[in-house]
């Protein structure tokens, strides 16, 4: 009887162990499936941003770069960002063409192709700085929009509070006046990230713009309206007439309203952009 009881007990233990293993594997499969789904979602969003900025005239051929954080498809790499491989025109970027980079070491963990060196160093360092400051930054856009870049070439590149668009950026812009050449080294990337600090927008002197956001839609909206605000200022200054600036109280009031509606407005605008590019360009979801 004792032998039978021992055999039965052993069988129960094996069954319990199997159930625990099955539950663990099932949980692991569910976790990986969730990562795959979120990874694809972020790939599609970032590809839409590339094509969308090209659609509104803010791309620069194969230059400049956008990125967003995403879980690796295998569920392994914690701090992965998606970037475009160097050489693709922005109108060509699709979800499947993006590569995944580990921001800690710069290694490619998924996809094929290699990001431009400036892309790798600027973005990785901005994300590292955000993590250090405990900021919820998941998307980084660097572009050379004509009017904002022109404003950054002024001795005084300050975005003046002369319009409603400008007021949306009240007290949220950093200015980099220490341009040191291509950001193709970790040290220059770190300098740029440190200069930006906790601001979500930076006018880069003699260079372009850098924008961060919690989501791709946020960074897209900010990039677009920053260029519009700069355009208004450049056009107003070109008349030679004296500019009328909003006082801080009014500018702050506009800023607070824009913050309140930021996610809602971002989603509506980005969804509209997606509809437009689906009509004119290749399918960004592929």
């Amino acid at each position: 009887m004792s032998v039978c009881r021992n055999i039965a007990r052993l069988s129960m233990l094996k069954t319990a162990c199997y159930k625990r293993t099955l539950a663990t594997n099932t949980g692991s499969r569910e976790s990986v499936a969730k990562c795959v789904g979120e990874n694809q979602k972020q790939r599609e969003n970032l590809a839409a941003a590339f094509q969308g900025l090209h659609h509104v005239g803010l791309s620069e051929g194969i230059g400049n770069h956008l990125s967003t954080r995403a879980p690796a498809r295998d569920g392994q790499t914690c701090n992965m960002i998606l970037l475009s491989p160097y050489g693709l025109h922005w109108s060509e970027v699709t979800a499947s063409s993006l590569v995944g980079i580990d921001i800690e070491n710069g290694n490619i963990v998924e996809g094929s192709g290699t990001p431009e060196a400036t892309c790798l160093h600027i973005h990785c360092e901005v994300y590292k700085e955000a993590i250090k400051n405990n900021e919820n930054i998941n998307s980084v856009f660097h572009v050379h929009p004509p009017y904002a870049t022109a404003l950054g070439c002024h001795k005084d590149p300050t975005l003046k509070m002369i319009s409603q668009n400008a007021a949306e950026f009240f007290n949220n812009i950093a200015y980099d006046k220490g341009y040191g050449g291509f950001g193709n080294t970790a040290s220059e990337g770190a300098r740029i990230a440190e200069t930006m600090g906790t601001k979500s927008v930076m006018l880069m002197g003699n260079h372009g713009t850098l924008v961060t956001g919690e989501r791709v839609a946020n960074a897209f909206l900010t990039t677009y309206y920053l260029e519009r605000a700069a355009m208004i200022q450049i056009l107003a200054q070109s008349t030679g007439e004296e500019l009328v600036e909003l006082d801080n109280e009014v500018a702050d009031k506009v800023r607070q309203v824009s913050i309140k509606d930021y996610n809602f407005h971002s989603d509506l605008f980005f969804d509209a952009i997606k509809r437009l590019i689906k009509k004119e360009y290749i399918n960004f979801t592929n």
Side-chain angles (χ1 to χ4, degrees):
M1 292 293 292
S2 62
V3 173
C4 291
R5 283 196 296 269
N6 286 337
I7 292 175
R9 186 178 298 111
L10 181 60
S11 178
M12 291 174 63
L13 289 172
K14 288 182 176 179
T15 300
C17 181
Y18 171 76
K19 287 182 177 179
R20 286 196 298 271
T21 301
L22 181 62
T24 299
N25 289 341
T26 300
S28 178
R29 287 196 297 270
E30 290 175 350
S31 177
V32 170
K34 185 176 181 180
C35 287
V36 170
E38 183 62 21
N39 180 286
Q40 180 63 21
K41 176 183 176 181
Q42 296 311 322
R43 283 176 171 274
E44 292 178 7
N45 282 337
L46 190 61
F50 273 103
Q51 293 193 27
L53 287 177
H54 172 69
H55 178 83
V56 297
L58 299 185
S59 66
E60 193 157 283
I62 63 172
N64 298 172
H65 20 84
L66 318 177
S67 69
T68 195
R69 297 183 71 172
R73 286 181 292 210
D74 62 5
Q76 298 298 313
T77 305
C78 295
N79 287 321
M80 191 191 81
I81 58 173
L82 295 171
L83 298 162
S84 64
Y86 188 55
L88 284 183
H89 190 274
W90 284 27
S91 65
E92 297 180 294
V93 178
T94 62
S96 61
S97 66
L98 298 168
V99 297
I101 300 292
D102 186 336
I103 67 170
E104 299 300 330
N105 52 35
N107 291 338
I108 297 174
V109 295
E110 59 183 47
S112 59
T114 305
E116 183 192 14
T118 58
C119 170
L120 188 64
H121 290 299
I122 291 176
H123 288 254
C124 285
E125 294 304 325
V126 170
Y127 284 109
K128 288 178 185 178
E129 184 74 11
I131 291 171
K132 184 178 74 175
N133 294 330
N134 199 32
E135 294 181 274
N136 187 22
I137 299 302
N138 296 304
S139 297
V140 176
F141 286 15
H142 169 57
V143 295
H144 294 173
Y147 290 98
T149 301
L151 181 57
C153 294
H154 285 61
K155 188 172 184 178
D156 177 11
T158 304
L159 182 67
K160 300 182 185 298
M161 297 297 107
I162 62 171
S163 68
Q164 179 173 288
N165 282 3
E168 294 185 22
F169 299 97
F170 178 70
N171 222 17
N172 191 36
I173 302 183
Y175 296 92
D176 181 8
K177 299 181 181 180
Y179 177 69
F182 284 111
N184 55 359
T185 63
S187 59
E188 179 63 8
R191 186 198 67 77
I192 290 171
E194 186 177 357
T195 302
M196 188 171 194
T198 59
K199 304 294 187 184
S200 61
V201 173
M202 184 162 76
L203 277 176
M204 307 170 76
N206 311 104
H207 193 171
T209 64
L210 192 61
V211 167
T212 63
E214 292 184 13
R215 300 176 302 149
V216 170
N218 297 150
F220 190 97
L221 182 78
T222 299
T223 298
Y224 178 84
Y225 277 105
L226 177 61
E227 172 66 354
R228 299 291 289 187
M231 179 180 74
I232 292 169
Q233 180 169 327
I234 294 294
L235 291 174
Q237 288 175 337
S238 70
T239 66
E241 298 291 328
E242 185 177 359
L243 303 179
V244 177
E245 296 191 50
L246 304 175
D247 61 43
N248 289 347
E249 183 179 355
V250 172
D252 185 57
K253 185 187 297 184
V254 173
R255 168 72 179 156
Q256 295 309 314
V257 171
S258 69
I259 291 174
K260 181 180 177 181
D261 297 330
Y262 188 51
N263 286 337
F264 177 70
H265 192 181
S266 296
D267 288 341
L268 287 180
F269 184 51
F270 196 45
D271 286 344
I273 289 294
K274 287 179 179 179
R275 291 193 297 271
L276 288 174
I277 60 178
K278 280 182 177 179
K279 295 178 181 178
E280 299 195 23
Y281 302 109
I282 54 180
N283 189 350
F284 58 85
T285 62
N286 291 338

